[in-house]
């Protein structure tokens, strides 16, 4: 008994430095994560601050940290016709996302819980369409869109955004469907439910986080798309990315006004992500672990 007590005390004393080292390493990683996070967020913060400055305050060197906030830049942006571009982006993004979900959910279901023949070939075809550079397809697309009279028409962007996002959506939602046990469909059919009823009332509620994550990614891709919009639209179908380029003039860059326009352009996507954050986190990790 006299020999075991010092041994236990010695082991406990040896564990204290190890715990301190682990705590120190964890603290170091935590500080590093905060530094990286602040560094990545700083450009966005600086853009928001610049949006509330006068043009003279936005051009100072060194940058002016203390200034009198103003809404003049937002008023100027709203008076410059941002409403049309905002409506066009909203319409193209919403319609293309709805079409992607309407087409992608049945396709992903058919390639997962009800697999068709040559599923692997079909999946490779979907992802293979994303391997063609957009710049290589813009000339034939421009000719086709011009021949059918859809140049500077928002419906041309709706179709192209749908085709652009559909392969990614099918791949993502297929992984979500694969996480659902096939026995659920069998149990629903034994209870007398049709296939459509089982999918609507059993399967889709289970994968709703994955659908929300897929929809949000499609919204981000469509909202930020620039190449198709700048080549196939002019005035009537102008979207937000094309509208922002209009602030780059031969007279120079209007930093404060451009920042105000960028804040207004980013706000809808930020709000959509904030409203869907709970389902987004679940959806992005839904198919990650088998």
């Amino acid at each position: 008994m006299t020999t075991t007590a010092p041994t236990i005390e010695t082991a406990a004393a040896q564990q204290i430095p190890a715990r301190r080292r682990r705590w120190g390493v964890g603290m170091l990683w935590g500080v590093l994560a905060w530094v990286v996070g602040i560094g990545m967020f700083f450009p966005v913060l600086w853009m928001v601050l610049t949006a509330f400055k006068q043009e003279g305050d936005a051009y100072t060197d060194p940058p002016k940290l203390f200034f009198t906030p103003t809404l003049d830049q937002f008023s100027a942006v709203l008076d410059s016709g941002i409403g049309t571009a905002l409506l066009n982006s909203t319409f193209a993004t919403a319609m293309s996302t709805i079409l992607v979900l309407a087409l992608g959910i049945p396709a992903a279901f058919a390639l997962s819980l009800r697999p068709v023949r040559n599923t692997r070939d079909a999946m490779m075809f979907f992802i293979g369409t994303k391997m063609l550079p957009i710049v290589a397809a813009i000339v034939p697309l421009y000719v086709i869109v011009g021949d059918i009279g859809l140049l500077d028409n928002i419906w041309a962007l709706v179709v192209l955004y749908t085709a652009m996002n559909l392969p990614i959506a099918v791949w993502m939602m297929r992984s979500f469907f694969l996480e659902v046990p096939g026995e659920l469909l069998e149990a629903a059919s034994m209870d007398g439910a049709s296939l459509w009823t089982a999918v609507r009332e059993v399967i889709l509620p289970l994968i709703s986080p994955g659908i929300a994550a897929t929809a949000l990614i499609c919204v981000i891709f469509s909202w930020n798309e620039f190449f198709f919009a700048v080549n196939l639209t002019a005035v009537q179908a102008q979207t937000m990315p094309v509208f922002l380029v209009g602030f780059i003039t031969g007279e120079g860059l209007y930093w404060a006004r451009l920042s105000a326009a960028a804040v207004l352009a980013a706000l809808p996507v930020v709000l959509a992500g904030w409203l869907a954050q709970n389902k987004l986190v679940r959806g992005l990790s839904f198919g990650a672990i088998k």
Side-chain angles (χ1 to χ4, degrees):
M1 296 296 296
T2 57
T3 58
T4 57
T7 304
I8 296 175
E9 293 177 357
T10 303
Q14 292 176 350
Q15 290 179 358
I16 293 177
R19 292 176 181 175
R20 290 178 177 176
R21 284 195 299 270
R22 288 195 296 269
W23 182 86
V25 172
M27 178 65 69
L28 180 61
W29 280 110
V31 172
L32 181 61
W34 273 102
V35 171
V36 172
I38 293 174
M40 296 179 65
F41 180 73
F42 181 77
V44 179
L45 176 62
W46 190 254
M47 177 186 71
V48 175
L49 292 177
T50 305
F52 290 94
K53 293 181 179 180
Q54 296 289 352
E55 289 294 343
D57 295 333
Y59 274 102
T60 59
D61 187 18
K64 183 180 291 186
L65 298 178
F66 302 98
F67 58 92
T68 302
T70 179
L71 297 176
D72 293 345
Q73 308 305 327
F74 290 97
S75 300
V77 171
L78 294 175
D79 294 338
S80 63
I82 193 176
T84 301
L86 187 61
L87 289 177
N88 287 335
S89 287
T90 302
F91 181 80
T93 299
M95 287 300 300
S96 63
T97 302
I98 292 172
L99 290 175
V100 166
L101 295 180
L103 297 173
I105 290 176
F109 176 79
L111 294 170
S112 56
L113 295 180
R114 285 288 188 268
V116 297
R117 296 179 62 182
N118 300 325
T119 297
R120 182 181 178 85
D121 295 338
M123 295 300 297
M124 291 306 299
F125 170 77
F126 275 116
I127 202 63
T129 59
K130 300 295 296 179
M131 298 179 183
L132 178 67
I134 297 178
V135 69
I138 191 61
V139 173
L141 285 175
Y142 185 89
V143 174
I144 294 172
V145 172
D147 289 343
I148 62 179
L150 288 181
L151 282 177
D152 200 18
N153 191 308
I154 195 63
W155 282 104
L157 295 183
V158 171
V159 174
L160 290 174
Y161 291 172
T162 302
M164 176 183 70
N165 290 326
L166 186 58
I168 299 175
V170 171
W171 270 79
M172 288 186 61
M173 287 189 291
R174 180 176 181 269
S175 66
F176 302 141
F177 274 111
L178 289 175
E179 291 295 315
V180 179
E183 290 78 6
L184 290 178
L185 285 176
E186 298 177 2
S189 62
M190 293 179 62
D191 291 338
S194 63
L195 179 61
W196 168 242
T197 302
V199 172
R200 186 182 71 249
E201 298 184 2
V202 178
I203 305 300
L204 291 184
L206 289 177
I207 67 166
S208 59
I211 295 176
T214 304
L216 184 58
I217 290 176
C218 292
V219 166
I220 294 173
F221 286 169
S222 299
W223 189 271
N224 294 333
E225 200 283 323
F226 175 76
F227 193 76
F228 286 144
V230 76
N231 286 284
L232 301 178
T233 66
V235 178
Q236 296 181 359
Q238 186 184 62
T239 58
M240 285 301 301
V242 180
F243 177 81
L244 292 177
V245 175
F247 286 91
I248 303 176
T249 65
E251 300 174 358
L253 288 175
Y254 295 90
W255 290 109
R257 190 170 301 180
L258 179 60
S259 297
V263 170
L264 293 177
L267 192 59
V269 178
V270 173
L271 290 177
W274 179 72
L275 292 175
Q277 59 180 335
N278 293 331
K279 289 186 177 295
L280 178 63
V281 173
R282 291 177 56 197
L284 291 178
S285 60
F286 188 57
I289 301 175
K290 294 291 184 182

